[in-house]
Amino acid sequence: MDDALSEAFYQARVEDVAARVKPKRFEHIQGVAQTAESLARIYGVDPARARLAGLLHDWDKGMRDGEIIQRAHDLGVDAQVGEWVVENMPEVLHGPTAAAALGRAFPQIPADVLEAIRCHTTASTTMTDLSKIIYVADTLEPSRTFGEADGLRALIGVVPLDELFYRVYKFWTMALIEHDTVLHPDTIKIWNTIAKGKSRAKKEKYA
Ligand SMILES: [Fe+2]
Ligand SMILES: [Fe+2]
């Protein structure tokens, strides 16, 4: 069995991914892999794991809503994420389905790489540094051109990884509310987990 962190495994998966998604998406994916690798070097995470998770994070992104919902049912992801999410937020399913499918197809992929892929769409309350890096890289890779991107990119290497993740997560949460979009049921839990630490630090500062 190929070592999942070897160059040969990586290059074989590059070919797989190129065949699964459109060219524009492939450009995004390559940007995420490169950005994740560089964030990993800056923040002390294994660059090979970051590059692989970046390459594979949108493994199922080329599927339409009907297809991804069916795939979530076929892979048992519906039991993991809940039927409400399957029905109301099909756009978040490609993280969990990719992790489940890749884990079956390539059992040698490390568990933390699969977990980073799984939670890249919704985040979670128990993210590792690797998961935070993939989440951030997905938003800040070079082909993303939204207004706040450069301001967020300027924080890389300047603020700790937790703060960088928080700023990117806050950007997305506010953007979703701004666009009247449904929120994942875990969003309030994730927000409160981060905000609890922030408000405690503020209280201590002004005590
Ligand atoms: Fe994605
Ligand atoms: Fe992505």
Side-chain angles (χ1 to χ4, degrees):
M1 196 186 288
D2 276 5
D3 175 357
L5 300 176
S6 68
E7 189 61 28
F9 185 84
Y10 187 83
Q11 292 306 334
R13 300 296 78 72
V14 169
E15 305 222 337
D16 291 346
V17 171
R20 292 176 74 83
V21 296
K22 297 203 171 98
K24 189 77 192 143
R25 173 70 46 189
F26 186 60
E27 183 192 343
H28 159 72
I29 286 170
Q30 288 192 303
V32 175
Q34 284 159 12
T35 304
E37 186 176 1
S38 123
L39 286 168
R41 290 189 202 284
I42 292 168
Y43 289 111
V45 169
D46 179 8
R49 283 166 198 253
R51 181 176 79 145
L52 183 62
L55 175 71
L56 299 177
H57 82 286
D58 276 346
W59 183 255
D60 279 355
K61 183 71 179 179
M63 296 183 178
R64 283 189 289 271
D65 283 358
E67 283 177 278
I68 199 80
I69 289 170
Q70 185 59 49
R71 188 156 165 87
H73 288 129
D74 294 346
L75 290 164
V77 161
D78 48 351
Q80 197 185 94
V81 302
E83 201 52 46
W84 188 90
V85 171
V86 175
E87 281 173 21
N88 293 284
M89 303 186 77
E91 66 279 8
V92 307
L93 296 175
H94 69 276
T97 62
L102 287 161
R104 286 189 194 184
F106 308 105
Q108 68 269 48
I109 297 177
D112 56 353
V113 171
L114 293 177
E115 174 56 18
I117 294 166
R118 188 193 69 78
C119 70
H120 88 267
T121 51
T122 58
S124 87
T125 53
T126 56
M127 290 169 91
T128 61
D129 284 356
L130 177 62
S131 294
K132 287 173 190 163
I133 279 174
I134 298 307
Y135 189 91
V136 168
D138 195 16
T139 303
L140 300 185
E141 58 88 8
S143 77
R144 297 275 206 185
T145 54
F146 58 94
E148 294 85 344
D150 283 341
L152 289 167
R153 284 189 191 109
L155 299 172
I156 294 173
V158 174
V159 300
L161 180 60
D162 282 351
E163 179 68 14
L164 183 61
F165 166 73
Y166 163 71
R167 297 286 286 269
V168 172
Y169 191 71
K170 184 176 182 175
F171 161 75
W172 278 118
T173 304
M174 292 179 80
L176 289 171
I177 290 171
E178 188 65 35
H179 291 94
D180 306 319
T181 309
V182 293
L183 296 177
H184 189 276
D186 285 350
T187 295
I188 188 92
K189 289 187 210 162
I190 299 164
W191 180 259
N192 281 344
T193 302
I194 307 170
K196 202 160 62 179
K198 287 208 159 268
S199 49
R200 192 181 300 133
K202 267 189 195 160
K203 275 184 198 156
E204 280 166 13
K205 196 170 164 190
Y206 293 108

